[in-house]
PDB file of all heavy atoms in Angstrom:
ATOM      1  N   ASP S  27      -4.396 158.578 256.880  1.00  0.00           N
ATOM      2  CA  ASP S  27      -3.139 158.561 257.619  1.00  0.00           C
ATOM      3  C   ASP S  27      -3.332 158.853 259.100  1.00  0.00           C
ATOM      4  O   ASP S  27      -2.527 158.401 259.908  1.00  0.00           O
ATOM      5  CB  ASP S  27      -2.136 159.518 256.987  1.00  0.00           C
ATOM      6  CG  ASP S  27      -1.717 159.084 255.608  1.00  0.00           C
ATOM      7  OD1 ASP S  27      -1.709 157.850 255.329  1.00  0.00           O
ATOM      8  OD2 ASP S  27      -1.429 159.948 254.773  1.00  0.00           O
ATOM      9  N   VAL S  28      -4.374 159.585 259.472  1.00  0.00           N
ATOM     10  CA  VAL S  28      -4.532 159.971 260.894  1.00  0.00           C
ATOM     11  C   VAL S  28      -5.118 158.859 261.748  1.00  0.00           C
ATOM     12  O   VAL S  28      -4.567 158.600 262.815  1.00  0.00           O
ATOM     13  CB  VAL S  28      -5.293 161.307 261.012  1.00  0.00           C
ATOM     14  CG1 VAL S  28      -5.619 161.645 262.436  1.00  0.00           C
ATOM     15  CG2 VAL S  28      -4.468 162.418 260.376  1.00  0.00           C
ATOM     16  N   PRO S  29      -6.173 158.124 261.448  1.00  0.00           N
ATOM     17  CA  PRO S  29      -7.302 158.349 260.581  1.00  0.00           C
ATOM     18  C   PRO S  29      -8.317 159.305 261.189  1.00  0.00           C
ATOM     19  O   PRO S  29      -8.511 159.330 262.406  1.00  0.00           O
ATOM     20  CB  PRO S  29      -7.904 156.967 260.399  1.00  0.00           C
ATOM     21  CG  PRO S  29      -7.529 156.233 261.668  1.00  0.00           C
ATOM     22  CD  PRO S  29      -6.231 156.828 262.122  1.00  0.00           C
ATOM     23  N   SER S  30      -8.999 160.076 260.301  1.00  0.00           N
ATOM     24  CA  SER S  30      -9.988 161.056 260.768  1.00  0.00           C
ATOM     25  C   SER S  30     -11.047 161.289 259.686  1.00  0.00           C
ATOM     26  O   SER S  30     -10.832 160.945 258.521  1.00  0.00           O
ATOM     27  CB  SER S  30      -9.298 162.352 261.132  1.00  0.00           C
ATOM     28  OG  SER S  30      -8.719 162.954 259.990  1.00  0.00           O
ATOM     29  N   LEU S  31     -12.134 161.887 260.129  1.00  0.00           N
ATOM     30  CA  LEU S  31     -13.226 162.266 259.218  1.00  0.00           C
ATOM     31  C   LEU S  31     -13.738 163.612 259.632  1.00  0.00           C
ATOM     32  O   LEU S  31     -13.991 163.857 260.808  1.00  0.00           O
ATOM     33  CB  LEU S  31     -14.340 161.231 259.319  1.00  0.00           C
ATOM     34  CG  LEU S  31     -15.557 161.415 258.414  1.00  0.00           C
ATOM     35  CD1 LEU S  31     -16.181 160.073 258.054  1.00  0.00           C
ATOM     36  CD2 LEU S  31     -16.596 162.328 259.013  1.00  0.00           C
ATOM     37  N   ILE S  32     -13.868 164.507 258.636  1.00  0.00           N
ATOM     38  CA  ILE S  32     -14.527 165.798 258.863  1.00  0.00           C
ATOM     39  C   ILE S  32     -15.754 165.789 257.983  1.00  0.00           C
ATOM     40  O   ILE S  32     -15.681 165.443 256.790  1.00  0.00           O
ATOM     41  CB  ILE S  32     -13.631 166.973 258.475  1.00  0.00           C
ATOM     42  CG1 ILE S  32     -12.318 166.943 259.278  1.00  0.00           C
ATOM     43  CG2 ILE S  32     -14.355 168.308 258.690  1.00  0.00           C
ATOM     44  CD1 ILE S  32     -11.305 167.995 258.848  1.00  0.00           C
ATOM     45  N   ALA S  33     -16.896 166.206 258.546  1.00  0.00           N
ATOM     46  CA  ALA S  33     -18.152 166.235 257.792  1.00  0.00           C
ATOM     47  C   ALA S  33     -18.698 167.647 257.835  1.00  0.00           C
ATOM     48  O   ALA S  33     -18.708 168.331 258.871  1.00  0.00           O
ATOM     49  CB  ALA S  33     -19.145 165.253 258.417  1.00  0.00           C
ATOM     50  N   TRP S  34     -19.184 168.079 256.658  1.00  0.00           N
ATOM     51  CA  TRP S  34     -19.854 169.362 256.531  1.00  0.00           C
ATOM     52  C   TRP S  34     -21.245 169.125 255.963  1.00  0.00           C
ATOM     53  O   TRP S  34     -21.473 168.198 255.204  1.00  0.00           O
ATOM     54  CB  TRP S  34     -19.107 170.282 255.553  1.00  0.00           C
ATOM     55  CG  TRP S  34     -17.764 170.711 255.991  1.00  0.00           C
ATOM     56  CD1 TRP S  34     -17.456 171.803 256.777  1.00  0.00           C
ATOM     57  CD2 TRP S  34     -16.515 170.111 255.689  1.00  0.00           C
ATOM     58  NE1 TRP S  34     -16.077 171.887 256.955  1.00  0.00           N
ATOM     59  CE2 TRP S  34     -15.481 170.851 256.279  1.00  0.00           C
ATOM     60  CE3 TRP S  34     -16.162 168.980 254.922  1.00  0.00           C
ATOM     61  CZ2 TRP S  34     -14.153 170.549 256.168  1.00  0.00           C
ATOM     62  CZ3 TRP S  34     -14.799 168.654 254.817  1.00  0.00           C
ATOM     63  CH2 TRP S  34     -13.846 169.429 255.436  1.00  0.00           C
ATOM     64  N   GLU S  35     -22.183 169.971 256.363  1.00  0.00           N
ATOM     65  CA  GLU S  35     -23.540 169.983 255.782  1.00  0.00           C
ATOM     66  C   GLU S  35     -23.880 171.391 255.322  1.00  0.00           C
ATOM     67  O   GLU S  35     -23.414 172.358 255.928  1.00  0.00           O
ATOM     68  CB  GLU S  35     -24.555 169.481 256.811  1.00  0.00           C
ATOM     69  CG  GLU S  35     -24.408 167.985 257.101  1.00  0.00           C
ATOM     70  CD  GLU S  35     -25.456 167.461 258.055  1.00  0.00           C
ATOM     71  OE1 GLU S  35     -26.362 168.215 258.491  1.00  0.00           O
ATOM     72  OE2 GLU S  35     -25.375 166.257 258.382  1.00  0.00           O
ATOM     73  N   LEU S  36     -24.635 171.437 254.254  1.00  0.00           N
ATOM     74  CA  LEU S  36     -25.019 172.726 253.690  1.00  0.00           C
ATOM     75  C   LEU S  36     -26.039 173.409 254.562  1.00  0.00           C
ATOM     76  O   LEU S  36     -27.071 172.835 254.896  1.00  0.00           O
ATOM     77  CB  LEU S  36     -25.588 172.468 252.276  1.00  0.00           C
ATOM     78  CG  LEU S  36     -25.528 173.597 251.289  1.00  0.00           C
ATOM     79  CD1 LEU S  36     -24.101 174.102 251.100  1.00  0.00           C
ATOM     80  CD2 LEU S  36     -26.123 173.170 249.963  1.00  0.00           C
ATOM     81  N   ARG S  37     -25.733 174.641 254.932  1.00  0.00           N
ATOM     82  CA  ARG S  37     -26.643 175.464 255.752  1.00  0.00           C
ATOM     83  C   ARG S  37     -26.640 176.866 255.161  1.00  0.00           C
ATOM     84  O   ARG S  37     -25.575 177.504 255.116  1.00  0.00           O
ATOM     85  CB  ARG S  37     -26.177 175.493 257.206  1.00  0.00           C
ATOM     86  CG  ARG S  37     -26.001 174.128 257.808  1.00  0.00           C
ATOM     87  CD  ARG S  37     -26.954 173.890 258.937  1.00  0.00           C
ATOM     88  NE  ARG S  37     -26.952 172.493 259.355  1.00  0.00           N
ATOM     89  CZ  ARG S  37     -26.225 171.992 260.355  1.00  0.00           C
ATOM     90  NH1 ARG S  37     -25.448 172.766 261.036  1.00  0.00           N
ATOM     91  NH2 ARG S  37     -26.322 170.703 260.652  1.00  0.00           N
ATOM     92  N   ASP S  38     -27.784 177.322 254.697  1.00  0.00           N
ATOM     93  CA  ASP S  38     -27.903 178.640 254.081  1.00  0.00           C
ATOM     94  C   ASP S  38     -26.874 178.884 252.994  1.00  0.00           C
ATOM     95  O   ASP S  38     -26.255 179.923 252.896  1.00  0.00           O
ATOM     96  CB  ASP S  38     -27.791 179.745 255.162  1.00  0.00           C
ATOM     97  CG  ASP S  38     -28.905 179.647 256.203  1.00  0.00           C
ATOM     98  OD1 ASP S  38     -30.045 179.326 255.817  1.00  0.00           O
ATOM     99  OD2 ASP S  38     -28.617 179.852 257.393  1.00  0.00           O
ATOM    100  N   GLY S  39     -26.681 177.870 252.146  1.00  0.00           N
ATOM    101  CA  GLY S  39     -25.809 178.008 250.998  1.00  0.00           C
ATOM    102  C   GLY S  39     -24.311 177.850 251.243  1.00  0.00           C
ATOM    103  O   GLY S  39     -23.508 178.016 250.336  1.00  0.00           O
ATOM    104  N   ALA S  40     -23.942 177.548 252.501  1.00  0.00           N
ATOM    105  CA  ALA S  40     -22.506 177.350 252.808  1.00  0.00           C
ATOM    106  C   ALA S  40     -22.361 176.104 253.676  1.00  0.00           C
ATOM    107  O   ALA S  40     -23.282 175.733 254.405  1.00  0.00           O
ATOM    108  CB  ALA S  40     -21.968 178.579 253.538  1.00  0.00           C
ATOM    109  N   TYR S  41     -21.184 175.519 253.631  1.00  0.00           N
ATOM    110  CA  TYR S  41     -20.943 174.329 254.446  1.00  0.00           C
ATOM    111  C   TYR S  41     -20.618 174.742 255.886  1.00  0.00           C
ATOM    112  O   TYR S  41     -19.808 175.638 256.124  1.00  0.00           O
ATOM    113  CB  TYR S  41     -19.773 173.488 253.916  1.00  0.00           C
ATOM    114  CG  TYR S  41     -20.179 172.574 252.776  1.00  0.00           C
ATOM    115  CD1 TYR S  41     -19.388 172.489 251.642  1.00  0.00           C
ATOM    116  CD2 TYR S  41     -21.324 171.807 252.827  1.00  0.00           C
ATOM    117  CE1 TYR S  41     -19.746 171.648 250.598  1.00  0.00           C
ATOM    118  CE2 TYR S  41     -21.690 170.963 251.809  1.00  0.00           C
ATOM    119  CZ  TYR S  41     -20.887 170.887 250.691  1.00  0.00           C
ATOM    120  OH  TYR S  41     -21.263 170.039 249.662  1.00  0.00           O
ATOM    121  N   ALA S  42     -21.255 174.033 256.800  1.00  0.00           N
ATOM    122  CA  ALA S  42     -20.975 174.171 258.229  1.00  0.00           C
ATOM    123  C   ALA S  42     -20.451 172.836 258.714  1.00  0.00           C
ATOM    124  O   ALA S  42     -21.028 171.776 258.382  1.00  0.00           O
ATOM    125  CB  ALA S  42     -22.247 174.530 259.004  1.00  0.00           C
ATOM    126  N   GLN S  43     -19.344 172.839 259.445  1.00  0.00           N
ATOM    127  CA  GLN S  43     -18.777 171.608 259.942  1.00  0.00           C
ATOM    128  C   GLN S  43     -19.713 171.035 261.000  1.00  0.00           C
ATOM    129  O   GLN S  43     -20.093 171.697 261.954  1.00  0.00           O
ATOM    130  CB  GLN S  43     -17.396 171.842 260.553  1.00  0.00           C
ATOM    131  CG  GLN S  43     -16.704 170.566 260.993  1.00  0.00           C
ATOM    132  CD  GLN S  43     -15.289 170.810 261.451  1.00  0.00           C
ATOM    133  OE1 GLN S  43     -14.513 171.462 260.776  1.00  0.00           O
ATOM    134  NE2 GLN S  43     -14.973 170.254 262.635  1.00  0.00           N
ATOM    135  N   VAL S  44     -20.093 169.752 260.840  1.00  0.00           N
ATOM    136  CA  VAL S  44     -21.001 169.090 261.771  1.00  0.00           C
ATOM    137  C   VAL S  44     -20.291 168.015 262.573  1.00  0.00           C
ATOM    138  O   VAL S  44     -20.853 167.520 263.559  1.00  0.00           O
ATOM    139  CB  VAL S  44     -22.248 168.525 261.063  1.00  0.00           C
ATOM    140  CG1 VAL S  44     -23.102 169.644 260.480  1.00  0.00           C
ATOM    141  CG2 VAL S  44     -21.903 167.488 260.006  1.00  0.00           C
ATOM    142  N   ALA S  45     -19.096 167.617 262.135  1.00  0.00           N
ATOM    143  CA  ALA S  45     -18.380 166.567 262.872  1.00  0.00           C
ATOM    144  C   ALA S  45     -16.913 166.606 262.505  1.00  0.00           C
ATOM    145  O   ALA S  45     -16.534 166.940 261.376  1.00  0.00           O
ATOM    146  CB  ALA S  45     -18.942 165.190 262.591  1.00  0.00           C
ATOM    147  N   MET S  46     -16.110 166.228 263.484  1.00  0.00           N
ATOM    148  CA  MET S  46     -14.673 165.953 263.269  1.00  0.00           C
ATOM    149  C   MET S  46     -14.328 164.849 264.261  1.00  0.00           C
ATOM    150  O   MET S  46     -14.315 165.074 265.477  1.00  0.00           O
ATOM    151  CB  MET S  46     -13.800 167.166 263.500  1.00  0.00           C
ATOM    152  CG  MET S  46     -12.335 166.877 263.234  1.00  0.00           C
ATOM    153  SD  MET S  46     -11.372 168.390 263.334  1.00  0.00           S
ATOM    154  CE  MET S  46      -9.744 167.708 263.247  1.00  0.00           C
ATOM    155  N   VAL S  47     -14.109 163.661 263.727  1.00  0.00           N
ATOM    156  CA  VAL S  47     -13.818 162.509 264.576  1.00  0.00           C
ATOM    157  C   VAL S  47     -12.512 161.879 264.138  1.00  0.00           C
ATOM    158  O   VAL S  47     -12.104 161.957 262.989  1.00  0.00           O
ATOM    159  CB  VAL S  47     -14.955 161.444 264.549  1.00  0.00           C
ATOM    160  CG1 VAL S  47     -16.238 162.027 265.156  1.00  0.00           C
ATOM    161  CG2 VAL S  47     -15.224 160.945 263.130  1.00  0.00           C
ATOM    162  N   THR S  48     -11.816 161.275 265.112  1.00  0.00           N
ATOM    163  CA  THR S  48     -10.550 160.625 264.833  1.00  0.00           C
ATOM    164  C   THR S  48     -10.558 159.215 265.444  1.00  0.00           C
ATOM    165  O   THR S  48     -11.299 158.952 266.392  1.00  0.00           O
ATOM    166  CB  THR S  48      -9.339 161.410 265.396  1.00  0.00           C
ATOM    167  OG1 THR S  48      -9.519 161.505 266.808  1.00  0.00           O
ATOM    168  CG2 THR S  48      -9.249 162.772 264.787  1.00  0.00           C
ATOM    169  N   GLY S  49      -9.707 158.351 264.889  1.00  0.00           N
ATOM    170  CA  GLY S  49      -9.491 157.017 265.461  1.00  0.00           C
ATOM    171  C   GLY S  49     -10.803 156.235 265.572  1.00  0.00           C
ATOM    172  O   GLY S  49     -11.559 156.103 264.600  1.00  0.00           O
ATOM    173  N   ASP S  50     -11.047 155.741 266.784  1.00  0.00           N
ATOM    174  CA  ASP S  50     -12.231 154.915 267.027  1.00  0.00           C
ATOM    175  C   ASP S  50     -13.492 155.710 267.342  1.00  0.00           C
ATOM    176  O   ASP S  50     -14.548 155.115 267.591  1.00  0.00           O
ATOM    177  CB  ASP S  50     -11.941 153.952 268.199  1.00  0.00           C
ATOM    178  CG  ASP S  50     -10.931 152.884 267.798  1.00  0.00           C
ATOM    179  OD1 ASP S  50     -10.938 152.443 266.634  1.00  0.00           O
ATOM    180  OD2 ASP S  50     -10.106 152.511 268.675  1.00  0.00           O
TER     181      ASP S  50
END
């Protein structure tokens, strides 16, 4: 609906956000 994407990667057993992008 926004459109957007949030990405997390596992670091030391927990997710760390590596990206948050919207639109183009």
Side-chain angles (χ1 to χ4, degrees):
D27 293 330
V28 173
S30 65
L31 181 151
I32 302 173
W34 294 273
E35 291 183 1
L36 203 57
R37 306 244 169 95
D38 299 321
Y41 279 135
Q43 185 175 311
V44 295
M46 181 174 172
V47 294
T48 60
D50 291 325

